Amino acid sequence: MKYLSFSFILLLLGLTSCVRDGSDPCLGVTLNLHVEKFRNPSSTDPMFDTEENFHDRIDYLQYYLYDETGTLIRQQAVSNFSGHEKGSFPLVFDDLTGGKYTIVLIGNSSDNSLEGDDHELNNLSVYYKGYGQTKDYSSRVYTVKNDYDLEQVFEVGMFRMHGVVRYSFKNVPSYVSAIEIEMDRLSNRKWIASEYEGNSSVFAKYD
């Protein structure tokens, strides 16, 4: 007898100086970033169950900063997590004037899967390229109100943008040389600020 176990990772029907990414804290706004686990039992709170180390799951982070009028005022990518391999990752903004800001965070989108006009938050989406051709994407849209007379620290969880479907086959007869699986009606696009959409299929063969 044989025992086969494998997983699918797929999208579910699922300026002036100091923005110091990962530097020492200073007055302003600091987001301590976390990423939720796949098996987080909460569908609404990514902080309910998070990975111990942010960098274990995220090796490339893009962020977009919008003011309260929806105007994009900054965008940047972070790929150097030196000194912050353990625990959360501090994203520090210490040159913001007072007001309300929306920060869009997208993890592991370095493979050109991020699409849309970044000058408009609602136009950003991540496209699922297919089984075996995608990464473990995470995202979060987070709004803060900055009081620049105070140091503000927020614990921010990023949502996983994928679901995991695990198939396990036990007591497989020895004459079975391969197993093929096809799944239909799966979303292939996640709008950063809203829902999943699209329709795709996933096929995989294991032998």
Side-chain angles (χ1 to χ4, degrees):
M1 295 293 182
K2 294 185 292 183
Y3 175 85
L4 301 180
S5 179
F6 45 82
S7 301
F8 278 120
I9 297 181
L10 40 86
L11 286 182
L12 285 178
L13 186 83
L15 299 72
T16 57
S17 126
C18 177
V19 175
R20 301 191 309 199
D21 307 312
S23 62
D24 293 335
C26 54
L27 290 179
V29 173
T30 298
L31 307 184
N32 287 328
L33 302 183
H34 308 258
V35 62
E36 71 173 344
K37 291 183 178 180
F38 271 126
R39 296 184 178 182
N40 180 10
S42 173
S43 61
T44 59
D45 181 11
M47 289 296 293
F48 188 85
D49 192 12
T50 62
E51 299 286 357
E52 182 177 354
N53 302 312
F54 180 83
H55 187 44
D56 286 350
R57 289 294 183 181
I58 305 296
D59 56 24
Y60 185 85
L61 175 71
Q62 288 177 276
Y63 70 81
Y64 300 84
L65 180 68
Y66 300 85
D67 66 15
E68 54 191 319
T69 70
T71 300
L72 177 66
I73 59 175
R74 185 178 298 136
Q75 66 180 77
Q76 192 165 332
V78 181
S79 57
N80 182 5
F81 296 85
S82 178
H84 296 279
E85 293 84 358
K86 303 296 183 181
S88 62
F89 177 72
L91 186 62
V92 179
F93 302 86
D94 67 354
D95 64 342
L96 301 180
T97 59
K100 188 176 181 180
Y101 296 87
T102 299
I103 304 164
V104 175
L105 305 158
I106 305 169
N108 293 336
S109 59
S110 58
D111 59 352
N112 299 318
S113 58
L114 183 65
E115 299 180 350
D117 181 4
D118 53 29
H119 288 83
E120 173 53 56
L121 188 159
N122 292 324
N123 285 337
L124 287 173
S125 67
V126 169
Y127 181 74
Y128 175 66
K129 296 182 177 182
Y131 172 67
Q133 303 178 54
T134 188
K135 292 187 176 181
D136 184 7
Y137 307 123
S138 297
S139 69
R140 183 68 187 270
V141 178
Y142 196 79
T143 300
V144 298
K145 186 174 182 181
N146 183 40
D147 182 345
Y148 52 86
D149 291 328
L150 299 173
E151 179 180 345
Q152 299 181 91
V153 179
F154 301 92
E155 303 298 322
V156 179
M158 295 177 65
F159 289 99
R160 306 295 278 267
M161 299 176 68
H162 298 74
V164 173
V165 179
R166 288 188 170 92
Y167 291 89
S168 295
F169 297 88
K170 299 179 180 180
N171 301 320
V172 179
S174 58
Y175 58 79
V176 175
S177 60
I179 294 177
E180 297 180 354
I181 294 178
E182 184 173 6
M183 301 180 67
D184 299 313
R185 302 177 63 185
L186 301 170
S187 298
N188 58 9
R189 185 178 300 278
K190 171 65 171 71
W191 293 98
I192 298 302
S194 58
E195 301 299 325
Y196 295 88
E197 70 169 24
N199 197 336
S200 65
S201 299
V202 172
F203 173 84
K205 181 178 179 179
Y206 297 87
D207 48 34

